[in-house]
Amino acid sequence: MTQLNNIIKVTLLMLCISALNVFAQKDDENQLQGHCCDNVKVSAEPDDDDPCCIKISVYNPNCPDLVIKIEKKLNNANIEVTKETVNNGEKKEFKVCGDIGESEMVVLVKLENKVGQLYCSGNTIHEFTRKVNCCKCPDKIDDIVNIDLIANACENGCKVKHTYNLPEEYNKCFKYIKIKSSEMDNEEQYYLEEAKDKIENYSPCIGNYEKYTVNLLLVKDDGEEYKYEKTVYCKGKPIPLEELCRPDTAKENWNAIQELTIFSDICPGCTINVSYTWRKTSRGHQDVQIVKIEVLNDKCNDCSPEKLYQMALDGIIRENQMLFNPRFPGDCSDLWRVAHATCWSIWRYYYDDGVNVRYNEVYQRCRVSVCCTQKMRVCLDKNSNYIVTPLDKQIYYDGECAKHILDDWSMNTSFTCFPACEWLANYKGSTGKAPKKKDGASFKVDYENAYGINTGIEDNVIKVQIKTPKTGTAEVTVYDVSGKQVIKETAVITNGNTNTIMIGIAELQSGNYIYTVTI
């Protein structure tokens, strides 16, 4: 019995010693972790490259399984920025950035273990409060105020429409905005909360072919200014129909002026936009009048006025939107008659494409002259080629062109009118191809009722509506002014329906574009 008691006593003593060893080991680990927490080096300093950010540095000299969790205080809430392991002997740097408008940022650096618990009872949370400058400005003026010109909305030119776009968070950065336009006598200053109504309600008018410049200054509390400038140009309104030439049959009215974009081998690579009108007279004439030729790219620089006119007339005949005869292979018509103003002018209008200020050259009839006309024979041969032959030259002009300028312009010798009938009458005629099917056979349909196409642009979308007599495909292609294709969409169209094709153009840069619809 005594021997058994001795054995029990020895066992209990060994268990006590083991327990003491465990407690001692656990206490050593706590001391080690506490020692680790005190020795982990955490610091914060400004980011020299970005005043809206601060740099956090963490150095772990001798602690295992250390996890760094970084949070940012924003609107009384903690937002986690990153969570990352920093191994024994490792040093890491972290970048923490504020949001637009922040001037002071609070950052928390927490020391944790792998299961997300605080690493020890020592210095486990480091808090830093630093000044930052997060008032980054918009990149360009369109991010603040967008400017559109509405043609014909004013009696003698364009109406200026402003759209205020400054995001609300920028109100934390800036105190007020200053605006000065070419139509203002004095600079205006508005607090940001009132700027939208003030700017959008300011809609001045500018004359045809005049420029409108606006300067904006965003001003911070400390007086620092950020300056933006933009210039746009009023392209001008169409010539009123009552001012057009009226060769010998004045009773018949001209149709509304239309525009047609033309590519041609006459001047390879050249693109022009032609404004024209037409009518059918009681005497059977099929009259066409060209009122403006607008050169759209620099490929036309070597193209003479005679060739530009030839491109314009060939394109109008080839497209034949007026549905004049001939419309079937083997037919001819001697009833085509082209009317010209006797006095034309060459001028330029300028526009800002977002990168550079560019210009387009324009040939336009003056509004003071009588007409000259030229009669044409237009044939559609068996191979669906258009053959155009001048039949006569009828030239009338008043000899007073040099005394005139366009009505809406200031006295500028660059815009003086000059006699043009002589070179317009030198048209030599050329050949263009009519549309064909894939098998080479010509279309033989009732063109008067066959197709209907309506196009328009709304909310950064080109909307094309097509009515067709048979099922097929339609192709919508968008080009920039250099002739480069930027968008191409193909869709199936069906007989008896109004088919709608939607083309998004929101991603295109600001500028002039041409779009074509091919069935």
Side-chain angles (χ1 to χ4, degrees), residues 25 32 56 67 85 103 119 166 205 213 278 282 352 361 363 420:
Q25 182 179 358
L32 174 62
I56 303 294
V67 176
T85 300
S103 59
Y119 195 77
L166 188 68
C205 288
T213 301
W278 74 93
S282 57
D352 187 347
E361 191 167 70
Y363 294 73

Side-chain angles (χ1 to χ4, degrees), residues 35 69 149 178 200 246 270 288 299 436 438 443:
H35 178 72
K69 181 178 180 181
L149 293 181
K178 293 180 179 179
E200 292 189 350
R246 297 186 177 276
C270 175
V288 174
K299 300 292 185 181
K436 290 184 178 181
K438 291 183 179 180
F443 283 111

Side-chain angles (χ1 to χ4, degrees), residues 38 122 138 153 160 229 335 344 388 404 414 419 465 470 475 497 504:
D38 292 335
V160 180
E229 180 178 304
L335 299 176
W344 280 48
V388 184
H404 300 294
S414 298
Q465 291 183 317
K470 57 180 65 179
E475 181 179 280
N497 296 319

Side-chain angles (χ1 to χ4, degrees), residues 31-43 57-63 66 86 88-90 111 119-120 122-124 126:
Q31 289 182 2
L32 174 62
Q33 287 189 343
H35 178 72
C36 285
C37 286
D38 292 335
N39 284 277
V40 173
K41 305 298 182 184
V42 182
S43 62
S57 176
V58 179
Y59 173 54
N60 177 15
N62 50 20
C63 298
L66 179 61
V86 181
N88 191 334
E90 190 174 27
L111 311 186
Y119 195 77
C120 59
N123 190 18
T124 59
H126 300 262

Side-chain angles (χ1 to χ4, degrees), residues 259-266 272-274 276 288 290 293 307-322 336 378 386 388 427 429-435:
E259 294 186 2
L260 180 66
T261 300
I262 296 172
F263 309 87
S264 173
D265 293 335
I266 294 174
I272 61 175
N273 197 62
V274 180
Y276 69 100
V288 174
I290 298 172
I293 300 172
K307 287 187 176 180
L308 289 173
Y309 172 72
Q310 188 171 332
M311 281 182 63
L313 184 57
D314 287 357
I316 290 171
I317 293 174
R318 184 170 62 250
E319 295 295 329
N320 195 10
Q321 299 290 331
M322 305 79 62
W336 279 75
V378 179
Y386 277 113
V388 184
Y427 174 77
S430 65
T431 302
K433 287 194 175 292

Side-chain angles (χ1 to χ4, degrees), residues 64-69 71 83 110-120 124:
D65 302 333
L66 179 61
V67 176
I68 298 298
K69 181 178 180 181
E71 295 178 350
K83 189 173 183 179
K110 298 181 179 180
L111 311 186
E112 297 183 350
N113 58 26
K114 289 185 175 181
V115 295
Q117 299 172 334
L118 291 180
Y119 195 77
C120 59
T124 59

Side-chain angles (χ1 to χ4, degrees), residues 38 67 81 215 261 297 375 460:
D38 292 335
V67 176
V81 177
N215 291 281
T261 300
N297 61 14
K375 198 171 183 180
N460 287 322

Side-chain angles (χ1 to χ4, degrees), residues 205-219:
C205 288
I206 60 173
N208 288 332
Y209 317 108
E210 291 182 357
K211 70 178 180 180
Y212 174 78
T213 301
V214 64
N215 291 281
L216 294 177
L217 285 174
L218 278 174
V219 185

